[in-house]
Amino acid sequence: MSERIESVLHEERRFSPPASFRASARIGDAATYQELYRRSLEEPDAFWSEVASELHWFRRWDAVLEWEEPFARWFAGGTTNLSYNALDRHVEAGLGNKVAFFWEGEPGDRRVLTYAEMLREVGTFANVLKARGVTKGDRVAIYLPMIPEAAIAMLACARIGATHSVVFGGFSAQALVDRIVDADAKAVITADGGYRRGKVLPLKPAVDEALQRCPSVETVITVRRTGSDVNMEPGRDHWWHDLAKHASPDCPAEPLDAEHPLYILYTSGSTGKPKGVLHTTGGYMVGTYLSTKHVFDLKPNDVFWCTADVGWVTGHSYIVYGPMLNGATQIMYEGAPTHPAPDRLWSMVDRYKATVFYTAPTAIRAFMKLGDAHPSRHDLTSLRLLGTVGEPINPEAWTWYRRVIGGDRCPVVDTWWQTETGAIMLTTLPGAHDAKPGSAGLPFFGVEPAIVDVDGNDVARDDGGYLVMKRPWPSMLRTVYGDDDRYRNQYWSEIPHVYFAGDGARRDADGYFWIMGRVDDVVNVSGHRLGTMEVESALVSHEAVAEAAVVGRPDEIKGQGIVAFVTLEGDRTGDDGLRSALRDHVAKEIGSIAKPDVIHFAEALPKTRSGKIMRRLLRSVASGEELSGDVSTLEDRSVVEKLTGAG
Ligand code: WT7
């Protein structure tokens, strides 16, 4: 973390939007942004009412915001439906033949789905869900690869008021169990498998394994994607295509209360148990709609490509909801970015003439390493705007992205937000602001961020501190599913009366925010958030492990990698065989992304006299840094000497 802070401190380059971009941008100068921003804070009711009025409501709201800290009700009393706003609204406006998705499977198969076709598919699947007994208020788990059915299933749930819980296809059966049980899901939507790096990634077998421990699930609906053999449990399991054959495509969207639960998405925190972040209907809709429109400067002819998986919040907000609420044409891709060759994404940018491209710094660094030849082979001149999200981007990767992918002509927006915030909070607006490589920019409309110390006092410009939000915003999480106390404690108690984001940051003299990284026990691996405690619990659940401590260390491509320090039971000895068994065990408990890069076997872990593991020390050991700082609270100094000696 300290390295990153220094490197951004020296970054003083600024990149202005090209005049041609400005001329046609929705917001083409800083003064317009400033006036809208001022209005969003000073006259929030008028500001948000105007935005919400661009969408369809079955019943208009009585109050824009009812706030009883820390619980918010946005557009209270209003009823609406995201599926209606993302589909019917466009078809009724005559845009039925507009392409919603250009989809490519990893093997090269292609599908094109218009808004009218999406509406039919969503209506059909909504009727399928109803016929299986899924009704308003039920929870539905979705465990799918990146195929159109993922968006269709989510929108079908939203249509009937079922709350979806998408579980990333890379997560294990155990992770699926935890999420199904916590949400008490009634149905699971999955596929036989998907394609990844030329191989079939099976999904249904993981569901079968999970369901042995999930009594609440009555129905499993499986998409045939790979054609591989799967077990079908009579009465419980059905093929998507069989059920869809008999269902009508007509399913009127249910008018839902603005605070009706739209989805739960699990994310990591500083404890061992993932949190079910709950998003609701009206505010999330308005927030994703507005941010998509302005941050990506979306116009009717754009071809938008967000490379995220729907298993993460980025796929929820900036594939399924935000862009579709804006009637955008999108690209969706199933597989690995380098399959069958390192230029796969660039060939697709060229093929579909993508105009706006949104990806993660880890992907950008990986592409940079693969070399300029791959993008150079393709015509990328359709691109007009680039974006990044998920972790701090190092200025070198930022400038490479702008030069090689953006041909020096595309603005780059670095967007800071979280699963909890639902929508982009900090960014530059591409036609209004200069970008500074490595900075996430300025607050979006309605967002009032601050950098404070532990007591909640504002720190001076350029000083580091905690990033907080001083007021509620429409797309904010409403609670941690089933655990209001955890919601309050985690987000609204750390520092009184503000939302605590968990990131360290500073704000420069121009008001630009520079994110320094997490201040809690959370690591960010390839833009994916993992709690060190979760990985520790997974390790300790292995019979050979007595204790485990997990920390992050800087990684050139992934941003952070995972390093585990493990002590063993009894007279067990650590060797490479056990290392690989432990890595596999973590993959089984959580998923492959949580596998430690390095496992150190230790005789003991460094602890304070009160028994707290000294992670700061372990972080230094993991990064190969000199040990420094105060070690006076350490119980047994020899433990550290042994650790550093072992390397
Ligand atoms: C955490 C949220 C938002 C979708 C993907 C991640 C880090 C996110 C940035 C950025 C620096 C960033 C923060 C944040 N983060 N975007 N532009 N610059 N850091 O969602 O899994 O909820 O993780 O990702 O640390 O707290 P998430």
Side-chain angles (χ1 to χ4, degrees):
M1 198 163 104
S2 56
E3 251 180 13
R4 210 174 270 150
I5 297 169
E6 272 168 39
S7 63
V8 296
L9 273 175
H10 300 306
E11 181 57 56
E12 273 163 17
R13 280 171 291 184
R14 299 177 76 113
F15 293 85
S16 305
S20 59
F21 189 98
R22 280 208 136 110
S24 60
R26 284 184 177 273
I27 298 181
D29 58 77
T32 307
Y33 158 82
Q34 199 52 50
E35 171 50 21
L36 282 166
Y37 179 65
R38 186 202 59 76
R39 199 151 172 264
S40 75
L41 295 194
E42 288 173 16
E43 299 156 50
D45 286 4
F47 180 89
W48 289 116
S49 288
E50 272 165 39
V51 177
S53 300
E54 293 175 24
L55 297 159
H56 177 83
W57 295 77
F58 297 104
R59 181 184 189 279
R60 197 180 159 90
W61 54 93
D62 302 317
V64 167
L65 172 64
E66 285 175 7
W67 177 234
E68 271 172 63
E69 186 192 305
F71 300 103
R73 292 175 36 133
W74 282 89
F75 306 104
T79 65
T80 185
N81 187 295
L82 278 104
S83 175
Y84 184 91
N85 275 292
L87 297 166
D88 310 54
R89 200 167 57 92
H90 306 310
V91 174
E92 283 162 20
L95 296 173
N97 289 331
K98 185 171 180 184
V99 172
F101 287 107
F102 291 112
W103 175 83
E104 276 194 21
E106 192 186 71
D109 45 337
R110 297 177 192 176
R111 282 169 76 182
V112 179
L113 284 147
T114 63
Y115 272 89
E117 286 163 335
M118 280 299 287
L119 175 57
R120 270 200 298 280
E121 297 283 341
V122 168
T124 302
F125 195 65
N127 280 327
V128 164
L129 288 173
K130 280 190 181 171
R132 301 308 315 157
V134 176
T135 55
K136 182 170 155 182
D138 286 341
R139 272 81 53 212
V140 174
I142 299 178
Y143 188 58
L144 283 171
M146 280 297 284
I147 54 179
E149 283 77 4
I152 293 165
M154 290 162 74
L155 289 164
C157 287
R159 198 164 185 86
I160 63 174
T163 300
H164 58 72
S165 164
V166 181
V167 180
F168 173 54
F171 279 142
S172 66
Q174 184 55 47
L176 192 54
V177 172
D178 297 341
R179 287 157 177 75
I180 289 174
V181 169
D182 186 77
D184 194 23
K186 192 170 189 179
V188 178
I189 322 293
T190 189
D192 47 2
Y195 293 95
R196 192 82 195 173
R197 287 189 194 87
K199 290 201 208 96
V200 168
L201 178 88
L203 290 170
K204 179 67 166 57
V207 173
D208 292 336
E209 192 191 327
L211 291 201
Q212 293 173 4
R213 281 161 276 165
C214 298
S216 64
V217 175
E218 294 165 9
T219 298
V220 178
I221 303 173
T222 305
V223 179
R224 176 128 71 203
R225 165 72 188 124
T226 63
S228 31
D229 274 344
V230 296
N231 156 60
M232 295 295 271
E233 199 75 40
R236 187 194 73 185
D237 295 0
H238 307 270
W239 287 107
W240 175 305
H241 57 266
D242 281 344
L243 298 178
K245 252 192 306 222
H246 308 292
S248 151
D250 267 337
C251 177
E254 180 85 19
L256 298 171
D257 189 273
E259 286 301 331
H260 186 75
L262 173 65
Y263 69 80
I264 303 168
L265 186 60
Y266 288 83
T267 190
S268 298
S270 43
T271 71
K273 191 172 167 261
K275 300 176 278 205
V277 166
L278 181 75
H279 284 291
T280 59
T281 296
Y284 180 82
M285 174 173 82
V286 171
T288 54
Y289 166 74
L290 187 73
S291 55
T292 306
K293 179 167 151 178
H294 287 303
V295 178
F296 301 113
D297 187 46
L298 273 196
K299 315 276 176 41
N301 292 330
D302 273 312
V303 178
F304 181 70
W305 190 4
C306 165
T307 67
D309 190 285
V310 286
W312 309 109
V313 74
T314 311
H316 285 60
S317 298
Y318 297 108
I319 297 178
V320 177
Y321 291 111
M324 293 194 74
L325 288 165
N326 280 279
T329 294
Q330 299 187 75
I331 298 171
M332 189 195 268
Y333 171 56
E334 174 187 35
T338 51
H339 190 87
D343 65 345
R344 177 66 183 260
L345 298 195
W346 317 127
S347 74
M348 287 178 64
V349 166
D350 189 3
R351 183 152 49 253
Y352 301 107
K353 302 294 169 213
T355 59
V356 183
F357 185 75
Y358 189 38
T359 197
T362 183
I364 297 168
R365 289 191 295 267
F367 290 131
M368 190 168 119
K369 202 160 186 184
L370 288 166
D372 299 9
H374 303 294
S376 304
R377 208 172 302 135
H378 298 277
D379 179 7
L380 306 182
T381 54
S382 57
L383 290 172
R384 63 181 196 89
L385 172 59
L386 303 176
T388 85
V389 59
E391 51 174 319
I393 181 165
N394 47 311
E396 195 195 352
W398 193 101
T399 47
W400 180 88
Y401 190 36
R402 188 180 182 282
R403 180 173 55 82
V404 177
I405 306 304
D408 275 331
R409 92 194 152 264
C410 305
V412 176
V413 290
D414 178 350
T415 62
W416 179 92
W417 57 294
Q418 307 179 294
T419 306
E420 292 88 339
T421 69
I424 292 166
M425 304 290 278
L426 303 175
T427 181
T428 47
L429 290 186
H433 299 129
D434 289 358
K436 304 186 186 190
S439 165
L442 300 160
F444 188 66
F445 304 131
V447 174
E448 192 187 356
I451 309 287
V452 300
D453 63 20
V454 268
D455 301 317
N457 301 312
D458 288 332
V459 303
R461 284 289 163 111
D462 267 329
D463 279 357
Y466 301 110
L467 176 61
V468 299
M469 300 296 149
K470 291 195 156 174
R471 64 166 75 200
W473 62 99
S475 63
M476 65 190 278
L477 80 163
R478 296 303 194 263
T479 190
V480 172
Y481 186 71
D483 198 345
D484 285 350
D485 284 343
R486 193 167 175 200
Y487 166 66
R488 187 194 305 273
N489 294 337
Q490 182 84 42
Y491 301 106
W492 295 91
S493 303
E494 204 80 28
I495 296 165
H497 308 305
V498 294
Y499 169 86
F500 178 72
D503 280 6
R506 73 183 171 90
R507 188 175 207 178
D508 71 17
D510 301 321
Y512 280 54
F513 285 83
W514 299 78
I515 307 296
M516 282 147 34
R518 301 290 301 192
V519 295
D520 51 11
D521 290 327
V522 164
V523 285
N524 191 326
V525 180
S526 301
H528 301 316
R529 201 159 128 191
L530 292 165
T532 52
M533 282 277 286
E534 280 168 70
V535 184
E536 287 165 6
S537 320
L539 284 166
V540 174
S541 73
H542 188 277
E543 39 92 22
V545 176
E547 260 193 318
V550 166
V551 296
R553 66 158 186 196
D555 182 285
E556 212 187 304
I557 301 289
K558 297 191 287 189
Q560 281 189 296
I562 294 178
V563 178
F565 295 85
V566 166
T567 64
L568 297 175
E569 288 287 0
D571 50 9
R572 296 286 299 245
T573 47
D575 55 17
D576 281 348
L578 184 58
R579 275 198 181 88
S580 88
L582 292 179
R583 285 165 48 82
D584 290 346
H585 183 71
V586 172
K588 191 166 158 282
E589 290 294 309
I590 304 175
S592 285
I593 57 163
K595 275 189 186 176
D597 296 309
V598 178
I599 297 178
H600 292 292
F601 293 111
E603 273 175 42
L605 300 176
K607 290 188 183 160
T608 61
R609 273 163 219 146
S610 62
K612 241 181 140 215
I613 294 173
M614 293 185 79
R615 290 159 192 290
R616 181 173 53 82
L617 283 182
L618 292 177
R619 270 194 287 272
S620 304
V621 175
S623 325
E625 287 164 13
E626 282 294 315
L627 294 185
S628 60
D630 182 21
V631 290
S632 58
T633 53
L634 188 64
E635 194 194 34
D636 177 359
R637 273 161 185 275
S638 71
V639 167
V640 174
E641 278 145 30
K642 280 184 197 142
L643 277 180
T644 45

